[in-house]
Amino acid sequence: MTLHNPISVFTPSRSNPEDLEAIMVQRHDLLTDAVERIEESASTDNKHHLLFVGPRGTGKTHLMTLLVHRLSTTPNLRIAWLNEDETSTTLIEFLLRIYTALQKRYPLGFSADDVDPIYDLPPADAERELIQVLLEKLQSKSLLVVVENLDALFEGLGKEGQQKLRAFIQEHPVLSIVATAQRLVEGISKRSNAFFGFFQVENLKPLTVEEAAELLSNIARHREEQELADFIQTSVGLSRIRALHHLSGGNHRIYIVLSQFITSKTIDLLVEPFAKMIDEMTPYYQERIRWLPPQQRKIVEFLCNVDRPATVKQIARRLFTSNQAISSQLKDLKGKGYVQAAQRGRESLYEITEPLMRICVEVKENQNSEPLKILVDFLRVWYDGVELSSLLEGCKSSNSEYAYLKSAISKNEEQGSLRVKLLVDCFRGEVGLSEEDEGAQLQTIASLALIHEGLGLGYGEWISGQKAQAITLIREIADSDKLEVDTRAFAFQCLSLFHMEDVNYDQALDVLSMALDLPLGGSSMESSLEERRADCYIYLEMNKEAVVTLTGLILRDDISEKHRDEYIYKRSEVYSKLECTELQIKDLTFLIDKASTSSVDLLSRYYFSRGHAYLINDENNYREDFKNLIQISKNEACTKEEFGVYVFTVLVAVQNCAWEEAFFILKTALERAKSSGLEYQVLIPIMIKGFFDHTGGVIERELVVQGLLRAYSDNGLVLELVEELITHLGILLREGGCLPENEILEGWATEWEAALSSYTEASISLRIFRTGIEFLKAGGEDRSVLLSLHQEERRILEQVFQLED
Amino acid sequence: MKANPGGQIDLKAVVGRDDVIEQIWETLEQQSIRMNAERRIGKTTIIKKLCNEPKEGWLPIFQDLEQYHTAIEFAASISREVEKHLSSSKQAAKLIKKFLSAAGGTEVGGVFKLPKFENDTPWKEVLCDSIKGLVEGCESAELRPLFLWDEVPFMLENIKNRDGEQVAMEVLDTLRALRQTYESRGLRMILTGSIGLHHVIKSLKRSSYANAPVNDMLTVAISALSEESAQELARRLIEGEGISTEYIDETSVAVAKISDGFPFYIHHIIKAMKRSGEEGSVELVELIVSEQLISPEDPWELHHYTDRVATYYGEEHKKSVLGILDTLALQSDSISVNNILTELKSMGILDDRDLLIELLKLIEQDHYLARNNEGRYEFQFPLLKRWWILARGLED
């Protein structure tokens, strides 16, 4: 392979075929298949006619060049590759083009002198004469006619010319046609027309991201830039290409132009060919749009000018028309190949099919000396902010490069990093979360991507479920000694989070140790890592190590007071696990004394924890703490700690048979929880259990039931009460030991049925409760008892009793 | 042999047409033929094979007539064919000489230069004299001339557009007259085309053309390949494409069945199998057909069956025809005329029994439907029915 031969952007036919072979992607099978068919056409009377359809820039000429190259030595075959810029309006003109092409390729076999006499004949005679000369010169060989822009040829020939051409082919079965077209034209697609069904049609597809990456890699390799070729195939490289893909739409030609820039890093090599490409194509696209009905034209122009695909609603809004009208026009435009649709959930998003059309229209709309937007966007994708600034510094202000770099930097400042934006877009919708949660995750991707693209990408892969890929990618970043220490530390931290999420705390610790071995120089990163390590120790119940780590953090000078208080609180929790109650109380006392009275949430937490610690230590101080907690909370929303205190207080009252006190506190607790929207239900079954356990005889039971019902009904929570009664049945089964006696269970159920008899809305729940009671009375094993319920109701009890399927 | 949907088939490799070709030769002993068949069934391949492998005693002349747009162009082409096929026959020489003097051509040194046919040269005379010359020349060589004319309706349409309906009618009548004059002396014609000749004649009838210009010809219907032949074709193509499969028999059977024996669809399916790169199997065949039937690119060109309804039957009958076909598509079995009428009446589409019968006849001629011995109608091709249901959104 010759080194550094340029790949001709606009005329692949001028490139070295071996070079084109080396860089080809996606179409190996297609090309091999086409070659085999033409070889068969050459050696038998089975004549194939092939048509490759694709918009501008999809690599048709590249394909033709390789096809002709591979067939050039096929025996018994003559190839006439027609000049795509010429046109024919009659059969004779077309045949002359064929002859001329054969003359160029086979000068000895096809001489201009042999056809000269026909110019003196009338057209019809000349046509017949030329056919005879052509057939004679072919000497029984087969003829392959390669025609680009078949649509233009058919347009030129018109119906009559097409019919004559087809008749010629039918009457002289010596030729195969391989053609390209930008779209299927009427001559091929309409059944009443001559060439309908004549060709084997292949619709050329745009490149996928992976194929685009392969193409650019191949080109880089061709230019002996192995490092670049390898980089493109990495996850980060692919992510970069994915971002470019958004701009290029998978168009071959755009990628070939980009490749020149990517391999040489010279912006001029980007600007000039792009400008030339746009100059060449704009008249064609203008023409295509001009012939559209007015509203369709407006839709196309709108879509050319927006940054991303648009919904029917968005288009209708901007064009001041109805959704129905737009839908109908879009259907037509889709049929004509102007637009394509993609699904996002239940809605369809529309965009222009041909990226080159979009680019050309946009350029035409913004006719001034401003840098081309798409090229500025390419720079924003390919380079990060630091790289752009560095390039700008090394550039003279008089260069066109300077203008582009400056524009890229300004755009990033105004609109944010495009690379990050496109990276985030890749993961939008793939994360499978609620809209709110997705928003938070995508923000994390963006934030990480600003530190390092690979971090954002890796995190995105992780939340999309590609865990192994995510770990590999982030690990590469963490291990890379070419990167800044902070970036590597972030990578280690990400890894530790991944491991912790997967409940691999040992691995998380290993990774954190590696991170802390980096020369972090006492940075804030170090404290983040230590905190993460402390969390791992806590999860692994390595409590002593956790205390040491947290103490180390508490003593640091470079942390905020808020963080310090968090560490102290965490340490107090660990002291609780170590049963070092005094140390726990000491930490909590420090926090309580320090906390501002306005920090109700924090104080609630501290008072609750200390109160709990006092309780464990059999110290009466707990009452004071709980009282303080209730006091400071009264003007604020109820916290779970506050509710926990209420539950505790209720249980204490129940133990002391202080029923009225218990009901009053319960009512207050429910009122507070309901008004604050607190999810308190997890604590209630414990409380119900407390009432149940201390309920002695029938009278007491009636008292308890009435009291509980009053407390709940005063808060409009009767249905919730019955649900909690049902949940409590699960606790009765699971807490181990013996089930309550049947008499007690029956009494409990009967009492509740009587109390709730007037609450019709609770009847279904009551039925489920009763069945639950019967199940427990039958020993808590016989599932047939549940069959008295419908399936959905049965499922509730199966969940409560944790019965396996 | 590789799959070649739409292309020109190697005539030596044609499968399953020996019987019909034999039938055609037998028929030609008695009369000319009008070949009637759905598009893509292989009419052109058959007549080309007839031309390439003629029985002894015949001189076949194949022409694709769509290239001719005027009656004189057509007549001139016949004249040139005569010139080509007759050597130094005196009859031919006399004929040419006559034309030379009539049309102002030049004879130079014993080399005949073909006359220039201007548009006012009487085309009928050219045509009739050419045929006469051919017949006479063939007689002396103990041959019978056989014209194999493809795309006749396109030519008639072209002539109608350029020369006018009157001339188109006269072309048909002249050909008929020539057949009647020279049939006993061996002249035969086979007429065929992609659109039904009956449509062209019908459109001429609207201009008060009352003749029946082809009623002297036997209509030979070209049917789809027999099951056996379709399987053989499928097998050969699978082998020709080098498609890997452990189930070539089952796969060939599946292809033959699902394609309704249409060579065009068989070629398409095999090509798609090759392009898929997968192992050949019954499941792959079904998958490919399902994909091709709903593909927006319509690779099998089936949308023509809906698109052509207005053209063939007129806007005024479009709704009725679509209604008839929708009704039949939803039947699991054949259905009587009365039941069709009941259905259409209930939908408010059609309540004229006579019109229904007329339309059914035309639709049958266009190969949508077949009529069984009990006079009940159903879709002729299950594949078309399947596609019709999808295309018209008739599925549940």
Side-chain angles (χ1 to χ4, degrees):
Chain A
M1 181 169 71
T2 315
L3 301 177
H4 304 300
N5 275 349
I7 308 281
S8 174
V9 176
F10 299 99
T11 330
S13 50
R14 291 209 189 117
S15 298
N16 188 326
E18 278 86 21
D19 295 342
L20 294 179
E21 288 274 9
I23 69 167
M24 187 177 66
V25 298
Q26 189 196 68
R27 293 179 182 156
H28 299 91
D29 289 348
L30 184 67
L31 179 58
T32 304
D33 184 76
V35 167
E36 284 174 3
R37 285 179 202 285
I38 303 306
E39 282 172 345
E40 188 183 65
S41 301
S43 58
T44 71
D45 289 340
N46 209 21
K47 302 298 182 203
H48 296 263
H49 306 291
L50 312 177
L51 173 62
F52 300 97
V53 180
R56 294 207 163 201
T58 43
K60 298 187 294 293
T61 307
H62 186 156
L63 189 63
M64 292 300 102
T65 307
L66 288 178
L67 180 80
V68 168
H69 172 63
R70 289 194 189 180
L71 289 167
S72 56
T73 54
T74 303
N76 211 42
L77 182 69
R78 289 284 177 261
I79 301 173
W81 190 354
L82 305 189
N83 185 333
E84 71 171 305
D85 296 323
E86 290 176 8
T87 191
S88 314
T89 56
T90 60
L91 176 60
I92 190 171
E93 282 177 18
F94 182 63
L95 294 173
L96 276 170
R97 280 172 68 196
I98 292 175
Y99 195 91
T100 307
L102 288 169
Q103 201 186 310
K104 277 192 192 144
R105 207 171 177 93
Y106 314 100
L108 295 178
F110 295 83
S111 139
D113 292 341
D114 292 325
V115 293
D116 194 62
I118 70 161
Y119 291 99
D120 297 323
L121 298 173
D125 295 344
E127 189 180 287
R128 280 189 291 280
E129 190 59 30
L130 180 54
I131 290 172
Q132 288 313 310
V133 169
L134 193 53
L135 293 173
E136 274 166 28
K137 294 291 178 186
L138 280 171
Q139 295 178 334
S140 313
K141 291 188 174 53
S142 294
L143 172 63
L144 170 63
V145 179
V146 180
V147 182
E148 295 191 78
N149 299 327
L150 185 73
D151 35 355
L153 170 67
F154 277 11
E155 218 169 314
L157 286 175
K159 186 178 171 185
E160 189 174 320
Q162 288 172 40
Q163 284 179 327
K164 289 189 176 209
L165 175 58
R166 191 175 178 278
F168 163 70
I169 295 168
Q170 291 289 4
E171 289 184 359
H172 307 97
V174 298
L175 70 79
S176 276
I177 301 181
V178 173
T180 68
Q182 280 157 34
R183 60 194 190 287
L184 280 181
V185 289
E186 269 196 15
I188 306 157
S189 64
K190 249 194 142 168
R191 196 146 206 174
S192 52
N193 290 354
F195 281 90
F196 182 67
F198 187 82
F199 290 95
Q200 297 169 46
V201 179
E202 290 280 354
N203 290 287
L204 299 179
K205 298 177 184 31
L207 296 170
T208 62
V209 171
E210 289 72 23
E211 287 160 354
E214 194 188 335
L215 174 65
L216 291 172
S217 263
N218 289 348
I219 294 173
R221 216 170 282 118
H222 167 75
R223 293 186 181 148
E224 291 207 318
E225 299 210 23
Q226 189 59 45
E227 206 179 303
L228 176 61
D230 292 342
F231 164 71
I232 288 169
Q233 293 294 343
T234 62
S235 299
V236 172
L238 269 176
S239 161
R240 203 72 67 78
I241 305 300
R242 196 173 286 123
L244 288 181
H245 209 70
H246 168 78
L247 302 170
S248 72
N251 187 283
H252 280 73
R253 189 173 294 188
I254 294 179
Y255 276 113
I256 302 280
V257 171
L258 280 181
S259 72
Q260 297 188 114
F261 155 68
I262 286 170
T263 52
S264 67
K265 309 279 190 303
T266 313
I267 297 178
D268 282 339
L269 281 181
L270 183 64
V271 172
E272 222 175 275
F274 236 96
K276 188 180 170 195
M277 185 167 68
I278 289 167
D279 279 343
E280 182 196 285
M281 297 202 179
T282 297
Y284 163 73
Y285 285 118
Q286 281 179 331
E287 194 62 28
R288 277 196 67 196
I289 294 171
R290 191 174 300 136
W291 287 109
L292 290 173
Q295 193 167 58
Q296 289 186 8
R297 202 181 320 139
K298 279 196 266 182
I299 293 172
V300 166
E301 284 166 355
F302 170 74
L303 288 174
C304 282
N305 282 304
V306 290
D307 274 342
R308 47 186 65 207
T311 61
V312 168
K313 202 169 154 186
Q314 284 167 332
I315 301 169
R317 181 173 170 266
R318 288 299 291 267
L319 300 184
F320 298 101
T321 185
S322 69
N323 289 354
Q324 290 92 319
I326 295 297
S327 269
S328 162
Q329 300 292 7
L330 281 170
K331 190 174 167 192
D332 199 39
L333 284 168
K334 202 169 153 207
K336 289 177 191 166
Y338 283 81
V339 304
Q340 60 192 17
Q343 281 305 116
R344 186 176 68 191
R346 273 190 287 173
E347 59 180 6
S348 295
L349 294 162
Y350 291 89
E351 60 181 346
I352 297 295
T353 308
E354 296 184 54
L356 288 173
M357 179 187 282
R358 189 164 34 87
I359 293 165
C360 289
V361 168
E362 191 196 305
V363 165
K364 181 188 154 278
E365 298 280 309
N366 300 301
Q367 266 170 359
N368 47 34
S369 56
E370 292 278 311
L372 294 169
K373 180 181 176 292
I374 186 166
L375 299 187
V376 170
D377 284 349
F378 279 136
L379 291 175
R380 291 170 70 200
V381 165
W382 197 253
Y383 296 117
D384 64 25
V386 169
E387 287 165 322
L388 284 171
S389 298
S390 165
L391 284 168
L392 185 70
E393 268 174 46
C395 205
K396 285 191 191 145
S397 60
S398 49
N399 285 356
S400 59
E401 253 183 74
Y402 184 88
Y404 274 90
L405 289 165
K406 198 132 190 338
S407 183
I409 293 170
S410 305
K411 283 257 159 63
N412 272 350
E413 281 166 7
E414 285 165 34
Q415 299 168 12
S417 163
L418 179 60
R419 186 200 279 183
V420 168
K421 207 162 135 188
L422 291 171
L423 173 64
V424 168
D425 275 349
C426 284
F427 289 107
R428 201 180 293 279
E430 283 193 36
V431 174
L433 298 171
S434 68
E435 212 174 295
E436 197 185 312
D437 289 342
E438 187 184 79
Q441 295 284 31
L442 294 176
Q443 187 53 49
T444 307
I445 294 173
S447 304
L448 287 170
L450 283 169
I451 300 168
H452 188 283
E453 194 181 356
L455 287 177
L457 179 62
Y459 187 76
E461 299 279 17
W462 179 263
I463 59 174
S464 302
Q466 306 295 324
K467 292 188 175 181
Q469 224 162 304
I471 288 177
T472 307
L473 174 57
I474 302 278
R475 193 63 203 241
E476 269 171 31
I477 297 168
D479 288 342
S480 168
D481 52 17
K482 290 184 189 158
L483 294 173
E484 286 186 12
V485 164
D486 267 357
T487 305
R488 294 178 64 193
F490 258 114
F492 276 122
Q493 197 168 51
C494 268
L495 278 174
S496 70
L497 277 170
F498 293 164
H499 289 311
M500 284 164 76
E501 226 181 84
D502 262 3
V503 198
N504 285 331
Y505 295 112
D506 289 317
Q507 274 182 279
L509 270 176
D510 287 341
V511 154
L512 286 165
S513 295
M514 280 189 248
L516 286 162
D517 282 343
L518 292 171
L520 296 168
S523 69
S524 58
M525 174 61 65
E526 211 175 75
S527 50
S528 293
L529 292 166
E530 290 283 12
E531 185 184 344
R532 201 67 63 217
R533 189 151 72 168
D535 288 337
C536 286
Y537 284 140
I538 292 169
Y539 282 120
L540 288 168
E541 295 190 5
M542 295 166 67
N543 295 320
K544 288 184 185 160
E545 288 85 350
V547 167
V548 166
T549 307
L550 286 165
T551 304
L553 278 167
I554 290 163
L555 293 173
R556 286 176 76 100
D557 294 326
D558 61 343
I559 57 167
S560 67
E561 286 309 305
K562 184 176 165 204
H563 278 115
R564 199 187 315 280
D565 290 349
E566 277 173 19
Y567 300 147
I568 294 173
Y569 183 76
K570 265 191 187 167
R571 190 174 65 177
S572 74
E573 296 280 284
V574 178
Y575 280 142
S576 165
K577 290 181 187 178
L578 285 167
E579 295 179 2
C580 300
T581 320
E582 281 181 26
L583 290 171
Q584 179 191 9
I585 290 169
K586 186 176 167 195
D587 270 350
L588 289 165
T589 304
F590 172 80
L591 290 171
I592 289 169
D593 290 343
K594 190 181 165 193
S596 151
T597 50
S598 61
S599 315
V600 173
D601 277 351
L602 286 172
L603 276 172
S604 294
R605 203 173 355 145
Y606 301 155
Y607 274 129
F608 186 84
S609 295
R610 195 172 69 171
H612 186 261
Y614 282 138
L615 200 58
I616 299 297
N617 245 13
D618 288 325
E619 294 177 43
N620 282 335
N621 298 358
Y622 80 87
R623 291 179 202 278
E624 191 66 25
D625 276 351
F626 285 170
K627 193 174 145 195
N628 285 336
L629 194 161
I630 303 284
Q631 183 62 31
I632 61 167
S633 301
K634 69 179 180 203
N635 294 325
E636 305 289 335
C638 180
T639 62
K640 61 181 191 308
E641 288 83 10
E642 185 193 337
F643 197 82
V645 167
Y646 284 130
V647 169
F648 172 75
T649 316
V650 166
L651 287 172
V652 168
V654 165
Q655 271 180 347
N656 296 332
C657 296
W659 300 113
E660 287 309 316
E661 185 187 341
F663 298 139
F664 173 75
I665 298 169
L666 175 60
K667 183 183 159 189
T668 308
L670 289 172
E671 207 174 280
R672 287 282 294 145
K674 189 180 169 188
S675 66
S676 305
L678 179 70
E679 296 283 324
Y680 64 89
Q681 284 81 356
V682 68
L683 290 172
I684 295 300
I686 302 165
M687 198 162 59
I688 303 283
K689 180 179 174 340
F691 279 104
F692 182 84
D693 287 348
H694 287 88
T695 301
V698 172
I699 296 172
E700 219 169 32
R701 190 162 54 230
E702 190 183 331
L703 184 77
V704 163
V705 166
Q706 291 297 334
L708 279 172
L709 181 57
R710 212 167 38 245
Y712 272 87
S713 68
D714 283 352
N715 281 298
L717 294 169
V718 172
L719 279 178
E720 284 79 354
L721 168 61
V722 186
E723 280 168 22
E724 287 153 21
L725 289 173
I726 295 168
T727 310
H728 163 246
L729 297 179
I731 294 179
L732 284 179
L733 180 65
R734 289 196 312 275
E735 69 174 353
C738 302
L739 284 168
E741 286 176 16
N742 282 1
E743 200 185 317
I744 295 173
L745 289 169
E746 180 57 38
W748 183 246
T750 311
E751 202 58 58
W752 278 110
E753 280 165 344
L756 291 165
S757 59
S758 61
Y759 291 88
T760 49
E761 70 272 28
S763 60
I764 295 173
S765 299
L766 209 46
R767 189 169 71 234
I768 297 171
F769 173 66
R770 165 50 80 176
T771 309
I773 292 282
E774 294 303 323
F775 178 73
L776 288 177
K777 279 165 66 180
E781 284 176 357
D782 184 3
R783 289 176 79 152
S784 66
V785 173
L786 305 183
L787 292 172
S788 62
L789 294 172
H790 296 306
Q791 196 178 24
E792 297 78 23
E793 295 164 354
R794 215 158 50 232
R795 210 167 283 136
I796 294 171
L797 283 180
E798 283 166 358
Q799 279 176 344
V800 160
F801 292 128
Q802 291 182 4
L803 300 174
E804 286 171 7
D805 284 337
Chain B
M1 177 173 70
K2 285 186 167 295
N4 187 2
Q8 286 142 301
I9 305 296
D10 186 341
L11 297 175
K12 295 184 285 300
V14 170
V15 171
R17 294 307 194 187
D18 292 343
D19 286 349
V20 74
I21 286 173
E22 195 53 44
Q23 183 200 348
I24 289 170
W25 285 121
E26 281 173 15
T27 305
L28 287 171
E29 292 293 334
Q30 307 302 325
Q31 67 191 116
S32 292
I33 289 171
R34 181 182 143 202
M35 206 178 275
N36 186 30
E38 180 45 37
R39 194 158 186 184
R40 294 297 165 217
I41 221 150
K43 295 187 295 301
T44 305
T45 304
I46 289 171
I47 58 173
K48 281 189 175 178
K49 200 163 163 69
L50 288 165
C51 186
N52 248 43
E53 299 162 18
K55 290 236 173 185
E56 202 181 316
W58 290 96
L59 176 70
I61 300 169
F62 170 77
Q63 285 180 287
D64 185 324
L65 297 187
E66 67 187 304
Q67 60 190 300
Y68 305 120
H69 291 75
T70 60
I72 190 59
E73 277 181 13
F74 171 51
S77 78
I78 303 299
S79 171
R80 282 190 295 275
E81 291 296 330
V82 167
E83 166 73 0
K84 247 191 325 199
H85 285 92
L86 296 181
S87 50
S88 53
S89 149
K90 285 181 187 172
Q91 300 272 14
K94 275 189 200 167
L95 185 69
I96 300 296
K97 208 163 164 90
K98 180 177 176 185
F99 287 151
L100 286 176
S101 46
T106 312
E107 183 184 339
V108 177
V111 174
F112 293 117
K113 185 180 163 189
L114 275 177
K116 215 168 81 167
F117 290 108
E118 300 293 352
N119 282 340
D120 59 355
T121 308
W123 63 268
K124 253 189 234 180
E125 200 180 324
V126 171
L127 179 61
C128 294
D129 286 349
S130 300
I131 298 286
K132 182 178 177 213
L134 182 66
V135 168
E136 288 170 359
C138 282
E139 266 178 336
S140 60
E142 293 182 3
L143 291 171
R144 287 178 287 179
L146 168 63
F147 283 101
L148 298 145
W149 284 325
D150 202 6
E151 307 299 3
V152 173
F154 278 146
M155 182 189 72
L156 291 171
E157 193 67 29
N158 292 342
I159 292 174
K160 185 180 121 180
N161 292 336
R162 196 75 78 82
D163 292 342
E165 279 170 344
Q166 184 63 34
V167 175
M169 296 178 207
E170 285 176 15
V171 166
L172 280 170
D173 290 341
T174 307
L175 290 176
R176 188 177 199 279
L178 285 167
R179 286 195 300 274
Q180 285 180 334
T181 307
Y182 296 110
E183 197 173 70
S184 57
R185 292 168 70 179
L187 174 68
R188 298 289 186 270
M189 298 171 188
I190 297 182
L191 271 54
T192 184
S194 304
I195 65 169
L197 197 54
H198 59 280
H199 281 294
V200 178
I201 294 172
K202 190 169 169 239
S203 78
L204 293 175
K205 278 189 191 304
R206 285 193 205 113
S207 309
S208 62
Y209 178 63
N211 297 345
V214 293
N215 68 352
D216 61 311
M217 306 175 87
L218 184 72
T219 303
V220 170
I222 306 294
S223 56
L225 292 176
S226 68
E227 213 173 286
E228 204 184 315
S229 297
Q231 285 169 25
E232 192 194 335
L233 175 60
R235 174 184 260 276
R236 283 201 202 175
L237 292 176
I238 290 172
E239 285 168 348
E241 289 285 2
I243 294 172
S244 155
T245 176
E246 287 178 29
Y247 308 103
I248 191 166
D249 290 334
E250 292 89 340
T251 308
S252 305
V253 166
V255 172
K257 187 165 189 255
I258 211 166
S259 64
D260 290 336
F262 272 72
F264 180 65
Y265 301 143
I266 293 173
H267 279 261
H268 257 298
I269 293 169
I270 306 296
K271 186 171 178 199
M273 281 170 64
K274 172 67 187 279
R275 292 285 291 123
S276 76
E278 305 283 341
E279 287 260 325
S281 67
V282 174
E283 291 76 21
L284 181 62
V285 171
E286 175 58 46
L287 178 66
I288 280 168
V289 170
S290 301
E291 282 172 0
Q292 304 238 319
L293 288 181
I294 59 170
S295 166
E297 283 136 19
D298 189 22
W300 292 8
E301 304 140 12
L302 291 164
H303 273 95
H304 171 65
Y305 286 102
T306 47
D307 296 346
R308 72 186 187 183
V309 167
T311 315
Y312 278 17
Y313 309 107
E315 274 299 333
E316 70 274 27
H317 296 310
K318 178 180 166 184
K319 195 174 168 190
S320 303
V321 171
L322 289 174
I324 292 167
L325 291 168
D326 286 348
T327 300
L328 264 83
L330 292 170
Q331 305 302 318
S332 54
D333 218 336
S334 60
I335 180 174
S336 67
V337 174
N338 286 339
N339 284 344
I340 298 172
L341 187 64
T342 308
E343 291 280 341
L344 295 177
K345 264 192 202 172
S346 70
M347 290 190 280
I349 292 175
L350 183 68
D351 61 5
D352 181 338
R353 197 171 192 281
D354 290 334
L355 177 58
L356 172 62
I357 289 171
E358 192 190 321
L359 290 174
L360 282 169
K361 195 169 151 201
L362 283 174
I363 297 170
E364 189 188 351
Q365 277 182 307
D366 288 321
H367 312 292
Y368 288 94
L369 306 178
R371 200 172 178 211
N372 63 19
N373 294 338
E374 291 151 26
R376 295 164 68 92
Y377 284 91
E378 60 186 345
F379 264 83
Q380 185 174 7
F381 300 113
L383 182 69
L384 177 58
K385 183 180 175 182
R386 179 175 167 180
W387 174 82
W388 190 270
I389 292 170
L390 290 170
R392 297 279 294 161
L394 302 174
E395 47 298 49
D396 287 333

